[in-house]
Amino acid sequence: MKIMVAIKRVIDYAVKIRVKPDKSGVETSNVKMSMNPFCEIALEEALRIKESGGASEVVAVSMGPAQCVDTLRTGLAMGADRAIHVDYPGSLYPLSIAKILKALVEAEKPSLLLLGKQAIDDDCNQTGQMVAGLLKWPQGTFASKVVLDEEKQVATVDREVDGGLETVCLELPAVITTDLRLNQPRYATLPNIMKAKSKVIKKVTPQDLNVEIRSDLEVVQVTEPPKRKAGVIVSSIDELIDKLKNEAHVI
Amino acid sequence: MDDISYFKKILGERGVVQDEEKLDDANTDWMRKYKGSSKLMLQPRTTEEVSQILKYCNSRCLAVVPQGGNTGLVGGSVPVFDELGWIYLFHIPKFLHFMCIFSIFGCHCRICFWCRFIMPLDLGAKGSCQIGGNVSTNAGGLRLIRYGSLHGSVLGLEAVLANGTVLDMLASLRKDNTGYDLKHLFIGSEGSLGIVTKVSILTPPKLSSVNLAFLACEDYASCQKLLLEAKRKLGEILSAFEFLDVNAMNLVLKHLDGLRDPLSSMHNFYVLIETTGSMESHDKEKLEAFLLQSMDSGLVTDGVLAQDINQTSSFWHIREGVPEALMKAGAVYKYDLSLPPEKMYELVEEMRTRLGSAANVVAYGHLGDGNLHLNISAPQYTDSILSKIEPFVYEWTSKHRGSISAEHGLGLMKADKIHYSKSPESVQLMAEIKKLIDPNRILNPYKVLPSSVLSQS
Ligand SMILES: Cc1cc2nc3c(=O)[nH]c(=O)nc-3n(C[C@H](O)[C@H](O)[C@H](O)COP(=O)(O)OP(=O)(O)OC[C@H]3O[C@@H](n4cnc5c(N)ncnc54)[C@H](O)[C@@H]3O)c2cc1C
C-alpha cells in the first residue's frame, strides 16, 4: 500500500508576521520558511504507518515555487521515500491544490492521502475536504488517532470535534487530515539527511497533469489585527465598575 | 532613620523598599547559595538619582551592593557580612539602562531596531539579566565566538562613581584613541568601581539564515577536532560552538519538563553548532556538507539538523537548560574556567576520580571559546566534598595557565582566589585603582578583590 502526503512550505510558525505596506499580502522576502506544522504531523503519521508494516511507500508532494524543493528535502530527510514537486510560481488556492492532488492521486494510486488539517499561513482548512469531494473518497478530518486495518481495508479515525472525540471508520482509499495531538514529529537525523540526498524529487507542472489553474478567488486585502489599546490602572473599585458599565458596556 | 527619610525625599516612597518578601528575594542569589540580610533596597530611576544617593552614602560611609537582574553566579549581587543590615541593596531597574544602541551609524528607533539588528550577546539568563549586569560582569555567552567580548562591542558607557560623579563616556565611535580608555575599567569590574547607568553597544545586523545542528560525539578528542574543522570549514558563518557531556544531558532530560532527547540513543558528548549568514541555500549546503563529512570521518556519530525555528529552540533549550537542571538536582559547586581546549576535559576526569560516588561531575560550556563550566552536583553542600574540590580545581587551572573565572567574574565566591590567575603586581595595581576611585569602599564590599590586599595601605 502506498501513502501520499501533501506538504506545504509556509512562513515559519515562530516568525512574527508582518503585513506588506500595500496590504497585498504578508512579507515573505528574507523570512524563514518551514514545513507547515500540520503537514509535518501528517508526514510523521505516514512514516509511522509504514514503519509498523501498514504501508510500503510514502510519497511526499508539494506545490508551489522552486523553493518547495527545500521543504520536500526535509520530508525526505524525515523518511519519505520519494517526492513530487508541482512547480507553479503563482498563487495557489485550495481548489486548485485539490485539483492537482486529485490528478496526482490518479497517477500514483495511493490508498491513503494524508494532509494537515490546515496551513498556518492562510488558515483555509479546505484542501483535504475538497480533494475528498473531487475524488469521491471518504474523509476523516481533524484526526487525533489513526488505526489502519490493512486486511479489511479500513481506517479508524478519532476526530477532535468541539467538546470531545468522534470515532469514524473509513473505507480505503480515503483522505485523512491531521490535528495537533496526533503525534510528535521526528527530527531530521544526519544519516537520514545523507540518505535523502539520493532520493528522487520529480518535477511536474500543472499542465503535465492536465490541470488548468484558474484563480477562482482574489485576495482583496490583508490587514493586521487591530492593535490592543494600552491598559489603564484604575484607582478604586468604584472607578472599575463605572468603566465596566459605561465604557466597556459589559455589566 | 534619618537616612531613610533622605532616600525617600530623593526617590519617593516607591523607590525605597522595606517590604520583607521583596527584600528576601533580593537578598538571595540565583543559586540560593548566598544570602544577605539587607533591610533596605533603593530603586533609583535616573542617573541623577543614582548620583545623589551615592554621594550621600559615600559621605556617610554606607555601603551599597549594585544589583541588576540578580542572575550572577558568584554571589556578587547580594550583600554579605552584614548581620546588622547596614549594606543597602541598590537595585537598578531595567528601564534605567535605556541604552543608546548604535549600529555604528547612529541611534535607531527602538521598534524597527530589533527587526534589523541584534544584541551581540546572548546567554541562558537572557530572560532576567540586564545590560548593566552583563557589562559589569563582562558576560560572555553563546555568541562570543562570533561577535567577540563586550570589551569590543561596548562602544561607550555612562557610570556613576562612589562620590556621585557622573562619568560620561557614551561615545559611539568604533575608534577612539584619546588617552586611557576608561570605560574598560567598568566592563567586568562587577559593580566595585561604579554603577553603570547607560551603555552604547555595537549591534550587528540581524541575518536571515540561522541553522543549528545538535550532534553526538563519542569522545572528547572528537569534539575538539570537530571544533578545529568547524573553524576551518564553516569559518565566516560559524556563530556558536557549545558542548555538554552525557552527565549534563542526563540531568536536563531528568529535571526539565517538555524536553526530549533529539537522538535515539545516549552518547558521551553532545555538540551544538550554529551558523548565521545571509543566504540560506549557501549556508545550508555548506553546513550539510561539513556535517556529512564529519559523519564519514567518524568525528560525529549521530546528529540532527533543525528544520524550523521550533526545533532550533528545543535544541538550544537543552544546552541552556543545564544550569536550571543543576539547580533542581540539589547543591551545586560551580566553576567557570578558561583552559586550553586540549586540557579541558582532563580536569573533569580527574575530578571524577577524586570525588568517586560522592557527587556527580557535570561538564558543559562554550567549547569554542575554551570555556569549561565544571559543575559538581551533590545532594547537599558538605565540607568533605568542598575539600576534595578546592583548592585542587584552582591549582590545576593555575598550573595549566588557565583562568579561574572565564566569564562569571569573581564576586564573593572567588575574591580571595584572584592570585591563582593574576600576578601579585597586577592585583596590587587593581587594589590601588579601587582605593583611588572608591576610597571609602562603599561599592560592593568584600567582592572581586581580597580584603587583605585592600586593607594594606
Ligand atoms: C541560567 C544562567 C545562564 C548564564 N549564562 C551565562 C553565560 O552564558 N555567560 C556569562 O557570561 N554569564 C552567564 N550567566 C551569569 C551572568 O554573569 C549573568 O547572568 C549576567 O551577566 C548578570 O546580569 P544581572 O543583570 O543579572 O546582574 P546581577 O546578577 O544583578 O549582578 C552581577 C554583578 O554585577 C553588578 N552589577 C549589576 N548591575 C550593575 C550596574 N548597573 N552597575 C554596576 N554593577 C552592576 C552586581 O553588583 C554583581 O556584582 C548565566 C546565569 C544564569 C542564571
Side-chain angles (χ1 to χ4, degrees):
Chain A
M1 174 179 130
K2 193 193 281 183
I3 304 179
M4 184 182 282
V5 186
I7 58 184
K8 183 174 182 183
R9 177 180 162 87
V10 296
I11 294 183
D12 191 282
Y13 169 72
V15 167
K16 189 173 175 339
I17 302 289
R18 271 174 302 146
V19 172
K20 285 186 190 158
D22 66 2
K23 297 190 178 174
S24 61
V26 299
E27 198 54 72
T28 51
S29 62
N30 250 337
V31 169
K32 167 88 180 158
M33 307 289 283
S34 304
M35 193 189 297
N36 179 39
F38 293 108
C39 301
E40 226 183 326
I41 294 171
L43 179 56
E44 175 65 33
E45 196 62 18
L47 296 173
R48 288 187 190 188
I49 294 173
K50 184 185 161 191
E51 281 158 1
S52 63
S56 52
E57 191 181 32
V58 174
V59 184
V61 302
S62 189
M63 290 118 226
Q67 298 91 322
C68 287
V69 168
D70 296 342
T71 314
L72 286 171
R73 282 263 166 245
T74 298
L76 294 174
M78 283 174 71
D81 298 290
R82 61 192 169 88
I84 303 174
H85 171 217
V86 182
D87 195 15
Y88 187 77
S91 313
L92 285 168
Y93 297 104
L95 186 57
S96 309
I97 302 278
K99 286 177 184 166
I100 295 174
L101 279 173
K102 175 173 183 266
L104 288 172
V105 164
E106 280 161 357
E108 290 282 338
K109 307 211 172 3
S111 312
L112 192 60
L113 175 61
L114 277 167
L115 308 89
K117 71 167 181 180
Q118 72 192 60
I120 58 161
D121 52 358
D122 56 25
D123 275 346
C124 281
N125 187 344
Q126 295 168 340
T127 309
Q129 292 88 328
M130 284 179 174
V131 70
L134 292 175
L135 287 167
K136 300 195 168 49
W137 284 8
Q139 57 182 294
T141 50
F142 312 112
S144 64
K145 189 178 171 196
V146 175
V147 180
L148 218 63
D149 188 332
E150 244 200 309
E151 219 168 277
K152 291 193 196 127
Q153 283 290 298
V154 293
T156 310
V157 175
D158 283 358
R159 306 183 56 235
E160 296 210 359
V161 291
D162 263 358
L165 284 183
E166 180 186 59
T167 305
V168 295
C169 194
L170 314 170
E171 261 177 48
L172 298 182
V175 174
I176 294 175
T177 75
T178 55
D179 215 324
L180 202 60
R181 273 170 287 269
L182 179 60
N183 59 44
Q184 193 176 33
R186 69 195 60 194
Y187 297 126
T189 64
L190 293 186
N192 284 340
I193 292 173
M194 210 177 317
K195 274 188 225 146
K197 299 251 176 237
S198 56
K199 290 179 184 172
V200 183
I201 301 183
K202 191 168 124 190
K203 188 165 123 178
V204 295
T205 62
Q207 282 114 310
D208 297 339
L209 298 168
N210 282 323
V211 178
E212 192 194 340
I213 309 285
R214 254 178 320 163
S215 139
D216 43 13
L217 59 88
E218 182 196 348
V219 173
V220 183
Q221 69 166 23
V222 175
T223 52
E224 280 185 36
K227 293 234 161 33
R228 270 185 57 191
K229 272 200 259 167
V232 285
I233 294 177
V234 294
S235 55
S236 66
I237 306 255
D238 290 339
E239 192 189 338
L240 174 66
I241 292 177
D242 177 68
K243 280 193 187 298
L244 289 175
K245 229 184 216 144
N246 301 319
E247 282 178 34
H249 303 292
V250 289
I251 53 171
Chain B
M1 284 305 102
D2 257 350
D3 293 343
I4 294 193
S5 5
Y6 179 81
F7 295 141
K8 284 189 177 162
K9 202 176 91 202
I10 306 284
L11 303 176
E13 291 282 336
R14 272 212 296 178
V16 181
V17 179
Q18 289 173 288
D19 177 86
E20 278 197 19
E21 223 171 281
K22 283 190 189 148
L23 282 173
D24 202 44
D25 272 352
N27 269 314
T28 315
D29 79 318
W30 188 86
M31 294 188 295
R32 315 206 146 272
K33 190 171 177 181
Y34 301 98
K35 194 139 177 61
S37 44
S38 177
K39 306 258 186 309
L40 188 70
M41 177 161 69
L42 302 170
Q43 294 189 310
R45 262 172 288 262
T46 60
T47 304
E48 188 46 36
E49 286 179 3
V50 174
S51 160
Q52 271 176 291
I53 301 275
L54 281 186
K55 190 172 171 193
Y56 178 84
C57 290
N58 194 42
S59 67
R60 308 249 301 111
C61 286
L62 299 169
V64 296
V65 174
Q67 182 175 91
N70 198 13
T71 66
L73 299 173
V74 288
S77 56
V78 295
V80 284
F81 305 126
D82 177 37
E83 286 67 28
L84 296 174
W86 277 116
I87 302 182
Y88 296 152
L89 261 167
F90 211 72
H91 182 248
I92 324 292
K94 224 171 191 154
F95 49 80
L96 187 59
H97 304 288
F98 185 74
M99 335 141 269
C100 305
I101 310 161
F102 291 94
S103 67
I104 195 88
F105 295 114
C107 206
H108 290 258
C109 122
R110 283 193 131 201
I111 314 278
C112 58
F113 191 85
W114 293 122
C115 305
R116 295 178 44 212
F117 298 93
I118 56 166
M119 276 297 280
L121 169 85
D122 189 6
L123 66 175
K126 57 182 156 278
S128 317
C129 65
Q130 300 185 1
I131 310 260
N134 297 149
V135 170
S136 302
T137 54
N138 185 22
L142 307 164
R143 303 272 146 55
L144 191 129
I145 192 172
R146 174 70 166 261
Y147 302 115
S149 103
L150 286 176
H151 280 294
S153 41
V154 170
L155 298 179
L157 52 80
E158 177 190 84
V160 185
L161 301 183
N163 64 9
T165 306
V166 179
L167 279 190
D168 177 353
M169 301 168 284
L170 262 178
S172 58
L173 308 168
R174 194 81 157 98
K175 302 178 78 172
D176 175 15
N177 283 355
T178 46
Y180 307 140
D181 201 343
L182 293 178
K183 66 170 184 284
H184 291 295
L185 277 180
F186 299 87
I187 302 173
S189 55
E190 305 176 62
S192 63
L193 296 180
I195 294 196
V196 177
T197 43
K198 288 195 183 107
V199 178
S200 102
I201 197 160
L202 183 69
T203 51
K206 184 174 188 166
L207 300 181
S208 59
S209 155
V210 179
N211 288 295
L212 180 67
F214 186 93
L215 309 168
C217 296
E218 283 333 302
D219 50 40
Y220 180 72
S222 302
C223 303
Q224 214 194 305
K225 277 189 209 135
L226 192 65
L227 171 62
L228 290 178
E229 289 292 297
K231 285 193 169 169
R232 214 168 273 146
K233 303 215 170 98
L234 298 174
E236 77 287 4
I237 55 170
L238 185 65
S239 56
F241 193 105
E242 296 286 312
F243 94 111
L244 53 154
D245 69 2
V246 63
N247 299 41
M249 183 70 167
N250 274 326
L251 270 189
V252 168
L253 293 175
K254 182 163 168 209
H255 292 285
L256 299 189
D257 293 334
L259 273 188
R260 60 167 161 151
D261 187 347
L263 306 174
S264 50
S265 57
M266 294 303 286
H267 299 267
N268 294 329
F269 292 91
Y270 300 89
V271 169
L272 286 94
I273 297 183
E274 185 196 68
T275 64
T276 304
S278 53
M279 196 196 263
E280 175 93 34
S281 49
H282 163 269
D283 296 2
K284 207 158 195 164
E285 193 184 320
K286 205 165 183 164
L287 179 60
E288 277 185 14
F290 168 74
L291 294 175
L292 299 185
Q293 250 174 33
S294 310
M295 286 254 338
D296 273 344
S297 64
L299 286 184
V300 167
T301 43
D302 198 1
V304 286
L305 186 57
Q307 302 291 312
D308 58 39
I309 299 178
N310 196 9
Q311 294 185 6
T312 306
S313 357
S314 47
F315 299 166
W316 269 128
H317 193 175
I318 294 174
R319 163 61 187 84
E320 292 185 282
V322 185
E324 192 190 334
L326 278 161
M327 283 295 298
K328 292 194 172 164
V332 49
Y333 301 87
K334 269 188 180 299
Y335 300 91
D336 158 43
L337 312 165
S338 261
L339 286 167
E342 68 278 8
K343 288 278 165 220
M344 216 152 106
Y345 210 72
E346 263 175 46
L347 172 61
V348 180
E349 279 159 351
E350 278 193 45
M351 198 53 100
R352 284 200 178 118
T353 319
R354 286 176 74 83
L355 284 160
S357 59
N360 182 14
V361 180
V362 173
Y364 65 98
H366 314 294
L367 184 58
D369 313 317
N371 182 183
L372 168 71
H373 289 322
L374 172 67
N375 283 251
I376 289 129
S377 166
Q380 277 121 23
Y381 294 109
T382 67
D383 288 344
S384 93
I385 292 182
L386 187 61
S387 67
K388 287 195 179 116
I389 308 172
E390 293 182 21
F392 170 78
V393 64
Y394 296 129
E395 286 166 359
W396 201 96
T397 306
S398 184
K399 192 171 84 194
H400 293 94
R401 295 194 67 88
S403 167
I404 60 155
S405 173
E407 57 173 16
H408 292 167
L410 296 166
L412 175 71
M413 178 187 176
K414 289 175 279 190
D416 288 336
K417 313 285 190 280
I418 190 170
H419 57 273
Y420 285 107
S421 290
K422 291 284 147 71
S423 69
E425 295 77 13
S426 309
V427 177
Q428 194 52 46
L429 182 58
M430 290 185 208
E432 304 293 330
I433 293 173
K434 166 78 179 170
K435 284 189 244 178
L436 177 73
I437 301 186
D438 178 16
N440 294 336
R441 285 151 59 185
I442 65 160
L443 285 170
N444 222 357
Y446 312 110
K447 317 286 173 60
V448 189
L449 295 176
S451 304
S452 53
V453 193
L454 285 172
S455 44
Q456 296 161 9
S457 49

